[in-house]
Each structure stands twice: as C-alpha cells, then as structure tokens.
C-alpha cells in the first residue's frame, strides 16, 4: 500500500509563532486531506486539496502532487491550534491511508 | 463535524459481551465509515458502506459487524470475538467514496471492565 509520512512528529510552539507541517506520500494520488484532532478527540477536516494552495483563516495548505508532498502552514499560532494534525490520501478504490500525525502543542 | 452523531461518548464492555456503537447522519451522504484509533496512532479502517444494504470489510474487520439498513444509520457492533476492543472509535461520512472529503463524528471511547 501507499506510505504516508508526516514530519515533524512533535512540535512545541510559542503562541504567535508560525510553523510548517509536512506530509510525504510514496505514490501518485489525486487528492489529499488534512485533519486536525483536538485534545478531546474531535477530528475536523481542514482541507481537501488535490493540488495547489488553499487558505482558511490562519491556516493554509499546499500540495505538490508531482513531487508527492503537501505542506500545512499555521500562522500566528493560538493555543486552540494544539492537537494532532493528520494527512490522508486515497489508494486503491476503497482506502484512505493516514499518516501517524504531527503532535502540536502551543504554549501561551 | 455537525450533522454526524455518535453515541454514546463513553462505553464500557464486560468480558464476553457484545456492544453496539451508534452513528447517525443527516447530511444525506451515501458513504459511511468506521475507524479505530489506538493511543498515539493513526486511523485504521474497520468497515465501510457506499450504499444502503451494502458494506465492505476494511483492514481490521475481525471481531466487528455492521449493518446499513437506512441511509442515515451505520451501527457498529463490537463482538466478544474482538479480544482487544479498548480504543477510540470514529465514524465518518462522505458524499460518495474515498476520493471525496470525509467528515467525522465526535467518537466513542470503548473500555473493558
């Protein structure tokens, strides 16, 4: 199956700092999703981004499908950004492969 | 995400007992999914359904069963055959299939007494 690797695995940020999370995948894909799981376990779909760049408030994502990676940018981080960020890509016709996540802690 | 309701939030199972986790959606989406998440891990697919009265096994279906009698409902039963059921269970939906955005319920935490 397809391999999905996320880096860095853990990140501690001072409130107000910017950060970049990376997702590499081992095979061609036609879309990619980024999710945020908050400390209570709720998983929110942040971006559905096959290619190019999308922005949503302080978050933006860029996928370069030809080079098999995607980046998630967090600007002016807030404590509510804490949690785990997952990327996921489809493979076969009936699977979504998730990375192991980026654990982010934003300290005030 | 709004429109997807999982219940209960917490569930305890005794040895040898079957338990059923509920997932209901009012988004009129065709596809529904069950995932299992263990501490510090990503999500693993248990079962999925892309249409009413049809469902398929995922990667870790042993010890679980599902039904899809109505479009809005996709309950998951954790049977006594599942020897290590303690985990966080997440239900997701998408408009049709795996190539479209998935949206998740708030999850059910299952523990063994």
């Amino acid at each position: 199956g397809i391999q999905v690797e996320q880096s860095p695995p853990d990140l501690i940020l001072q409130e107000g700092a910017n950060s970049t999370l990376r997702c590499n995948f081992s095979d061609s894909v036609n879309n990619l999703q980024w999710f945020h799981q908050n400390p209570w376990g709720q998983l929110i779909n942040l971006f559905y981004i096959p290619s190019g760049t999308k922005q949503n408030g302080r978050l933006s994502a860029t996928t370069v499908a030809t080079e098999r990676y995607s980046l998630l940018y967090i600007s002016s981080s807030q404590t509510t950004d804490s949690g785990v960020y997952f990327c996921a890509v489809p493979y076969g016709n009936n699977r979504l492969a998730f990375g192991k996540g980026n654990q982010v802690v934003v300290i005030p | 995400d709004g429109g997807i309701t999982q219940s209960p939030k917490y569930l305890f199972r005794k040895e040898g007992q079957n338990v059923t986790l509920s997932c209901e959606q009012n988004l009129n989406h065709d596809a529904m999914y069950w995932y299992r998440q263990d501490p510090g891990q990503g999500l693993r697919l248990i079962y999925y359904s892309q249409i009413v009265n049809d469902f398929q096994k995922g990667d870790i279906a042993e010890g679980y069963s599902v039904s899809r009698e109505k479009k809005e409902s996709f309950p998951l039963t954790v049977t006594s055959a599942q020897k290590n059921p303690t985990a966080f269970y997440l239900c997701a939906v998408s408009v049709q299939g795996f190539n479209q955005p998935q949206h998740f319920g708030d999850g059910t935490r299952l523990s063994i007494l």
Side-chain angles (χ1 to χ4, degrees), chain B residues 14-80:
Chain B
K14 296 180 181 178
E15 294 288 341
Q17 188 181 42
N18 294 350
V19 292
T20 297
L21 285 59
S22 170
C23 179
E24 304 276 331
Q25 55 115 350
N26 62 7
L27 301 173
N28 201 35
H29 287 356
D30 283 324
M32 299 185 74
Y33 314 83
W34 276 106
Y35 290 93
R36 170 179 171 142
Q37 187 179 30
D38 292 286
Q41 301 295 315
L43 279 67
R44 293 185 289 168
L45 182 66
I46 306 173
Y47 268 99
Y48 66 97
S49 167
Q50 293 186 301
I51 196 168
V52 175
N53 292 322
D54 185 60
F55 49 83
Q56 304 295 328
K57 292 182 179 180
D59 298 317
I60 55 166
E62 186 174 349
Y64 300 96
S65 66
V66 293
S67 62
R68 186 86 187 276
E69 297 175 2
K70 298 185 295 183
K71 188 174 186 178
E72 59 269 25
S73 178
F74 191 39
L76 173 73
T77 296
V78 184
T79 74
S80 57

Side-chain angles (χ1 to χ4, degrees), chain B residues 87-99:
Chain B
F88 187 47
Y89 291 87
L90 286 154
C91 174
V93 305
S94 68
V95 173
Q96 287 187 320
F98 285 86
N99 276 308

Side-chain angles (χ1 to χ4, degrees), chain A:
Chain A
I2 193 169
Q3 304 300 312
V4 181
E5 294 184 358
Q6 294 186 239
S7 60
D10 301 286
L11 189 61
I12 299 176
L13 297 170
Q14 194 75 44
E15 196 169 28
N18 302 329
S19 65
T20 302
L21 310 178
R22 187 176 180 106
C23 173
N24 291 335
F25 41 94
S26 61
D27 207 348
S28 300
V29 299
N30 56 16
N31 70 76
L32 181 141
Q33 300 180 57
W34 280 100
F35 299 89
H36 174 230
Q37 187 168 38
N38 67 23
W40 296 271
Q42 293 172 318
L43 201 65
I44 302 298
N45 192 309
L46 297 174
F47 294 102
Y48 175 85
I49 180 167
S51 64
T53 297
K54 288 187 176 180
Q55 180 139 13
N56 184 2
R58 295 179 296 102
L59 302 181
S60 64
T62 296
T63 295
V64 185
T66 53
E67 297 187 24
R68 301 181 185 173
Y69 73 90
S70 182
L71 302 174
L72 180 70
Y73 304 96
I74 305 173
S75 65
S76 303
S77 58
Q78 299 179 358
T79 55
T80 51
D81 295 330
S82 296
V84 184
Y85 291 81
F86 291 101
C87 65
V89 297
Y91 72 98
N93 288 321
N94 57 7
R95 291 291 187 276
L96 201 60
F98 285 81
K100 292 190 174 180
N102 308 95
Q103 172 85 57
V104 173
V105 175
V106 181
I107 55 177

